[in-house]
Amino acid sequence: MPEELPRWSTMEGDCLSCMKYLMFVFNFFIFLGGACLLAIGIWVMVDPTGFREIVAANPLLLTGAYILLAMGGLLF
């Protein structure tokens, strides 16, 4: 007759499996967020008509665009 595993052993395995999948999902969302920040930062820097006039009027916004690029690159 095969030995049965204790109940806490199977519950621990289920919990670790759940944590593994939750970690995958959260890392995927962080990856998507980094890609979005990177895309917005690149869009602000290269768009010749839309944001150039706004960014040229306030140099602080140019710093914000560089921060978006840096944070997006780090998260991506």
Side-chain angles (χ1 to χ4, degrees):
M1 191 159 146
E3 283 187 36
E4 289 186 26
L5 291 173
R7 182 181 171 138
W8 60 269
S9 177
T10 58
M11 288 175 53
E12 182 179 281
D14 291 341
C15 183
L16 290 176
S17 178
C18 181
M19 285 177 55
K20 178 178 70 172
Y21 289 114
L22 282 175
M23 184 176 239
F24 173 77
V25 168
F26 286 128
N27 281 334
F28 181 71
F29 284 132
I30 289 172
F31 171 78
L32 285 180
C36 288
L37 285 177
L38 192 61
I40 291 170
I42 291 172
W43 180 35
V44 167
M45 294 303 289
V46 300
D47 188 17
T49 58
F51 292 104
R52 286 281 183 186
E53 299 162 0
I54 297 170
V55 171
N58 190 352
L60 185 62
L61 293 176
L62 184 62
T63 305
Y66 285 126
I67 289 173
L68 278 177
L69 285 171
M71 291 304 295
L74 287 173
L75 289 174
F76 188 72

